[in-house]
Amino acid sequence: MNIRRLVIILGDQLTLDNPALRDFDPNQDCVWMAEVAEESTKVWTHKARIVLFLSVMRHFRQLLDSKGYRVHYVSLDDAENQGSLAAQLQHDLTRLNPQSVCMTEAGEWDVAQALQGVVQAAQLPFEVLEDSHFFCSKAEFAQHAKGKKQLRMEFFYRWMRQKYNVLMHGAEPEGGRWNYDQENRGSFEKSGPGAVPEPIPFQPDDITQAVIALVERRFPEHPGSVQTFDWPVTPEQAEQALQDFIEYRLPQFGQYQDAMWYGPKQDQPYLYHSRLSAAMNLKLLDPRRVIAAAESAYHQGKASLEAVEGFIRQVLGWREYVRGIYWLHMPDYRELNALQANQPLPDFYWTGQTEMRCLNAAIGQTLRYGYAHHIQRLMVTGLFALMLGVHPKTLHEWYLAVYVDAVEWVELPNTLGMSQFGDGGIMASKPYAATGKYIQRMSNYCQHCPYNPAERVGPTACPFTTLYWDFLIRHRPLLSKNPRMGLQLKNVDRLDSAESLAIQAQADGLRQKLQPKRPQEV
């Protein structure tokens, strides 16, 4: 096989707009794609996440074939599969003997380093192209961060809005305000959310069914279920999912984006959320298309400014911001542990088997669908781990394992920084610590729980509430330096010594009780 240029396409770069495919000559060039076990085993990956990545890859390979691209594709069950991307590329460079190698920049630090090392060792010309999928390049973000003592997403978001003329009225933000976050914190009435329009499902086709069978055979002990798998796996399906969200759930998304609900049938995991992050992260769906569709809905009077701004802030603000933080601070970022948290992850994170109903619901949903929305992640599973004192890298690996939309550039800063305050304030201006009363206010979880969020000590005290006060007591010296923690620390100072000791004793008892039986590595 005579190959001028070998074009590497990774499992989260699955678009014909991939910069590495520009000027592709099928007579001289060849696409290289590989399914490898290492990508499913370096963390104990949810079966649905494995199925999604492999199915989207195989559908993209089919699309490339139909367009006349020459493709060298290594399947997971190929006899000569080497097990890792680096080993497979090294094996195939020897076999294919290309004159040069090209790829769009990888979304994960370790993958980028590994592939670069292989190509350099082969002494081949290697072109790495900027990823045009994103609004803000790594270089632009680094320039934005230069000279600033502290970065904040809000100011980055405003810059992006101005630069790309999104929800702008001339030089001013649409409606006269940049942010409608205060309007977007609603909870459901006692009667619940009612009949929320469910996201359009995509039943597994022959390709996806074959992948499901492969995953069940190769990874039978991995967590999660594939029985409900119905994620979009092609650009056409992703576009249908976008239109479905814009029409049926975007109008209520803003008001209820932070709300949580435990239904009797547990059959409303998505509520008013979009379910689009996985499609965007694998590049089935361009964020420009997503933002344009949401903005159009506002201008056509189909959704309020509060709803549309809240959604666009997630895509143009947070999504771009966390990517910038990731590449600005890697590889050291992954090892940060500002609170010196060293507790292991409780076993129930892998089973959902706990009396705490909020965790039972959020983790149970995660294991069934590979999905939980951002408040379930931040203020239920993440909040508990923060206050228990779980090592932030351990929790990062759990999030990376169990959510179908998890890729490291977006998941790591959100988990280690935003959720666990492991970076000491790079991502968030203060720890997201709260008692069980927050969960009670934003959900109906507490109605079904044996614990009382108003109690901090005693047999029916909510573990979240106990751990909240313990968290403030334990970290008081560090938190006292943070001006945003003043009010919370004043409340700690009102505790008498006996109650303070009782809280700490009960928290220590929780930590002992939750010591895992499953081996863990950090």
Side-chain angles (χ1 to χ4, degrees):
M1 184 182 292
N2 182 28
I3 297 176
R4 178 189 66 169
R5 183 177 57 172
L6 190 67
V7 177
I8 296 173
I9 293 184
L10 301 174
D12 60 350
Q13 300 178 336
L14 305 174
T15 172
L16 292 177
D17 292 328
N18 188 322
L21 291 175
R22 294 171 189 161
D23 304 319
F24 187 92
D25 184 347
N27 295 316
Q28 302 184 80
D29 302 332
C30 180
V31 168
W32 182 86
M33 298 177 68
E35 305 170 1
V36 293
E38 181 187 50
E39 294 303 300
S40 301
T41 58
K42 58 187 179 184
V43 294
W44 200 39
T45 304
H46 194 298
K47 291 177 183 177
R49 182 173 182 263
I50 305 173
V51 169
L52 179 65
F53 272 76
L54 296 187
S55 178
V56 177
M57 287 177 69
R58 292 188 180 192
H59 280 92
F60 187 65
R61 185 262 179 94
Q62 184 183 63
L63 177 62
L64 290 174
D65 287 341
S66 71
K67 299 289 185 181
Y69 289 82
R70 184 163 51 158
V71 182
H72 180 79
Y73 193 98
V74 182
S75 297
L76 190 65
D77 48 0
D78 282 352
E80 294 191 7
N81 192 301
Q82 303 298 302
S84 74
L85 287 172
Q88 191 64 51
L89 181 61
Q90 183 179 36
H91 176 271
D92 290 339
L93 287 179
T94 302
R95 177 182 174 186
L96 301 174
N97 193 30
Q99 297 173 27
S100 67
V101 180
C102 173
M103 68 177 290
T104 297
E105 55 191 355
E108 182 179 326
W109 174 273
D110 289 344
V111 170
Q113 296 300 304
L115 297 183
Q116 181 179 354
V118 170
V119 179
Q120 287 179 342
Q123 298 183 328
L124 289 170
F126 189 29
E127 183 179 20
V128 180
L129 301 171
E130 183 180 303
D131 193 342
S132 60
H133 172 85
F134 296 95
F135 287 87
C136 186
S137 70
K138 297 175 187 176
E140 284 178 313
F141 190 88
Q143 186 62 36
H144 168 77
K146 190 175 181 180
K148 292 182 174 67
K149 291 183 179 179
Q150 199 168 42
L151 293 173
R152 285 293 167 258
M153 194 284 290
E154 179 65 24
F155 300 110
F156 170 81
Y157 168 57
R158 294 180 186 185
W159 175 47
M160 288 286 97
R161 290 263 300 271
Q162 292 169 317
K163 181 176 180 179
Y164 290 99
N165 193 32
V166 174
L167 287 181
M168 297 296 294
H169 188 74
E172 297 299 318
E174 191 75 43
R177 287 168 54 190
W178 291 103
N179 190 311
Y180 290 85
D181 189 50
Q182 291 294 328
E183 287 81 359
N184 291 342
R185 298 178 181 178
S187 57
F188 299 119
E189 300 294 331
K190 290 184 178 180
S191 58
V196 180
E198 295 184 6
I200 181 174
F202 300 96
Q203 296 305 315
D205 61 9
D206 291 345
I207 291 176
T208 302
Q209 288 178 8
V211 170
I212 289 172
L214 172 63
V215 169
E216 292 281 33
R217 184 173 71 252
R218 284 290 300 270
F219 307 105
E221 302 302 321
H222 277 233
S225 170
V226 291
Q227 293 181 2
T228 61
F229 188 92
D230 64 352
W231 294 89
V233 294
T234 67
E236 293 78 16
Q237 290 180 346
E239 176 64 25
Q240 291 179 54
L242 171 62
Q243 293 302 321
D244 178 75
F245 167 69
I246 295 294
E247 182 174 356
Y248 295 110
R249 292 182 305 287
L250 176 61
Q252 282 75 42
F253 168 80
Q255 182 179 359
Y256 297 120
Q257 64 175 291
D258 289 358
M260 300 173 285
W261 192 261
Y262 179 85
K265 297 181 180 179
Q266 298 180 318
D267 58 357
Q268 291 191 0
Y270 308 109
L271 296 171
Y272 289 104
H273 290 263
S274 72
R275 211 172 80 141
L276 296 175
S277 55
M280 283 192 286
N281 291 350
L282 273 62
K283 313 290 173 56
L284 295 180
L285 193 57
D286 192 294
R288 292 162 185 80
R289 172 76 191 110
V290 174
I291 289 172
E295 193 171 16
S296 177
Y298 164 66
H299 288 302
Q300 294 177 29
K302 296 180 179 179
S304 70
L305 180 57
E306 292 88 343
V308 171
E309 186 280 318
F311 178 68
I312 287 178
R313 191 181 340 128
Q314 298 290 326
V315 181
L316 186 60
W318 275 116
R319 188 170 186 266
E320 297 285 327
Y321 184 72
V322 296
R323 178 176 181 263
I325 291 290
Y326 177 85
W327 286 107
L328 189 65
H329 293 283
M330 282 296 282
D332 297 335
Y333 192 86
R334 191 165 45 201
E335 306 303 324
L336 296 178
N337 188 1
L339 298 179
Q340 297 300 302
N342 288 296
Q343 287 292 315
L345 191 70
D347 281 337
F348 65 69
Y349 273 75
W350 297 105
T351 66
Q353 295 174 7
T354 171
E355 291 181 332
M356 292 175 278
R357 184 50 62 93
C358 57
L359 286 161
N360 172 275
I363 295 172
Q365 173 187 309
T366 295
L367 295 174
R368 283 192 301 278
Y369 301 104
Y371 174 87
H373 73 64
H374 66 277
I375 293 298
Q376 291 174 306
R377 300 189 202 193
L378 177 65
M379 298 304 292
V380 180
T381 55
L383 175 61
F384 190 82
L386 167 71
M387 299 189 303
L388 188 69
V390 171
H391 196 294
K393 188 176 178 181
T394 301
L395 189 70
H396 145 63
E397 291 175 347
W398 181 78
Y399 278 106
L400 189 61
V402 299
Y403 292 112
V404 298
D405 61 353
V407 289
E408 192 176 78
W409 63 262
V410 66
E411 178 276 322
L412 177 60
N414 271 314
T415 300
L416 186 140
M418 182 86 170
S419 171
Q420 301 302 290
F421 205 68
D423 62 10
I426 293 173
M427 270 289 293
S429 58
K430 69 170 186 174
Y432 276 83
T435 70
K437 288 184 178 180
Y438 174 84
I439 296 171
Q440 184 180 46
R441 184 169 70 252
M442 299 306 299
S443 74
N444 69 334
Y445 292 153
C446 299
Q447 296 174 17
H448 310 278
C449 189
Y451 300 108
N452 185 345
E455 298 177 5
R456 49 195 175 207
V457 291
T460 59
C462 172
F464 280 82
T465 302
T466 302
L467 291 171
Y468 167 79
W469 291 102
D470 175 73
F471 178 83
L472 296 182
I473 294 167
R474 282 189 297 121
H475 295 295
R476 198 190 192 295
L478 176 64
L479 299 179
S480 64
K481 301 174 185 177
N482 189 318
R484 296 195 64 199
M485 296 298 297
L487 181 60
Q488 289 168 285
L489 293 178
K490 284 182 181 178
N491 291 330
V492 172
D493 294 338
R494 295 190 181 101
L495 297 173
D496 60 42
S497 60
E499 186 167 19
S500 179
L501 289 172
I503 289 168
Q504 291 177 285
Q506 185 144 340
D508 287 342
L510 278 169
R511 291 188 182 93
Q512 288 298 318
K513 180 181 177 181
L514 295 176
Q515 287 294 310
K517 297 180 177 63
R518 183 176 179 270
Q520 299 190 14
E521 295 181 3
V522 172

